[in-house]
């Protein structure tokens, strides 16, 4: 929920700043309270429309941590499960401008792509330490000091 609130605040700020600059470039004086309320309503409307769309897009790529391994989707593929001992490589990268994580299996060609936008890294780290161990390659990706 923190991420959604922050995203809505950023959208509102961008719309208000854009509206102010548009008014100034058009030769009109700084906008009044009615214009600010109108732009705030536009920002809230964008948040209401874009929020669920972003949720649905990222929900389709959901991943989970289980006691036996890591589950998620391949890139444009079916859900798959990789056992903890079989994970040999993991790292963070950007996919289509969104933060993501790749998890690679050592015994097969399987690779899971997991979006990490809005993920609570400390909570995931605790789960990974519990299930995979503190020295696991995936646990290191979610360390609080990992960048």
């Amino acid at each position: 929920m923190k991420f959604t609130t922050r995203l809505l605040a950023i959208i509102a700020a961008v719309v208000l700043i854009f509206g102010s600059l548009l008014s100034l470039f058009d030769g009109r004086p700084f906008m009044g309270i009615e214009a600010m309320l109108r732009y705030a309503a536009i920002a809230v409307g964008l948040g209401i429309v874009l929020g669920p769309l972003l949720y649905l897009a990222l929900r389709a790529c959901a991943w989970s941590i289980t006691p036996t391994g890591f589950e998620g989707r391949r890139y444009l593929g079916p859900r798959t499960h990789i056992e903890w001992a079989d994970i040999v490589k993991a790292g963070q990268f950007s996919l289509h401008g969104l933060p993501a994580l790749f998890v690679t299996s050592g015994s097969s060609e399987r690779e899971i792509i997991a979006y990490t936008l809005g993920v609570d890294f400390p909570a995931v780290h605790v789960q990974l330490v519990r299930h995979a161990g503190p020295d696991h390659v995936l646990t290191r990706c979610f360390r609080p000091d990992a960048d």
Side-chain angles (χ1 to χ4, degrees), residues 26 31 35 51 64 68 85 89 100 108 113 126-127 135:
D26 198 25
M31 65 178 147
S64 59
T68 59
K89 191 173 166 186
S108 68
I113 304 295
V126 168
Q127 290 290 324
D135 296 325

Side-chain angles (χ1 to χ4, degrees), residues 29-77:
F30 185 72
M31 65 178 147
I33 190 72
E34 303 93 28
M36 288 184 83
L37 289 174
R38 183 174 55 243
Y39 287 123
I42 290 170
V44 168
L46 283 172
I48 290 171
V49 170
L50 294 178
L53 289 176
L54 185 60
Y55 171 79
L56 290 173
L58 295 178
R59 183 68 186 144
C61 301
W63 49 272
S64 59
I65 298 167
T66 68
T68 59
F70 191 78
E71 292 182 0
R73 291 197 181 275
R74 298 178 184 189
Y75 186 71
L76 298 177

Side-chain angles (χ1 to χ4, degrees), residues 1-135:
M1 194 63 171
K2 271 191 295 186
F3 173 75
T4 306
T5 306
R6 191 175 336 144
L7 180 63
L8 183 59
I10 290 170
I11 289 172
V14 167
V15 169
L16 286 173
I17 290 169
F18 182 75
S20 297
L21 291 175
L22 195 62
S23 293
L24 290 175
F25 286 132
D26 198 25
R28 293 178 282 171
F30 185 72
M31 65 178 147
I33 190 72
E34 303 93 28
M36 288 184 83
L37 289 174
R38 183 174 55 243
Y39 287 123
I42 290 170
V44 168
L46 283 172
I48 290 171
V49 170
L50 294 178
L53 289 176
L54 185 60
Y55 171 79
L56 290 173
L58 295 178
R59 183 68 186 144
C61 301
W63 49 272
S64 59
I65 298 167
T66 68
T68 59
F70 191 78
E71 292 182 0
R73 291 197 181 275
R74 298 178 184 189
Y75 186 71
L76 298 177
R79 282 189 71 78
T80 188
H81 178 85
I82 302 177
E83 301 287 329
W84 293 122
D86 197 27
I87 296 174
V88 294
K89 191 173 166 186
Q92 297 176 4
F93 70 106
S94 177
L95 182 64
H96 307 298
L98 296 172
L101 182 79
F102 69 88
V103 180
T104 306
S105 169
S107 65
S108 68
E109 300 273 329
R110 291 178 297 167
E111 180 175 82
I112 294 174
I113 304 295
Y115 286 104
T116 56
L117 182 66
V119 170
D120 184 359
F121 273 62
V124 172
H125 183 260
V126 168
Q127 290 290 324
L128 286 169
V129 167
R130 181 181 307 136
H131 295 300
D135 296 325

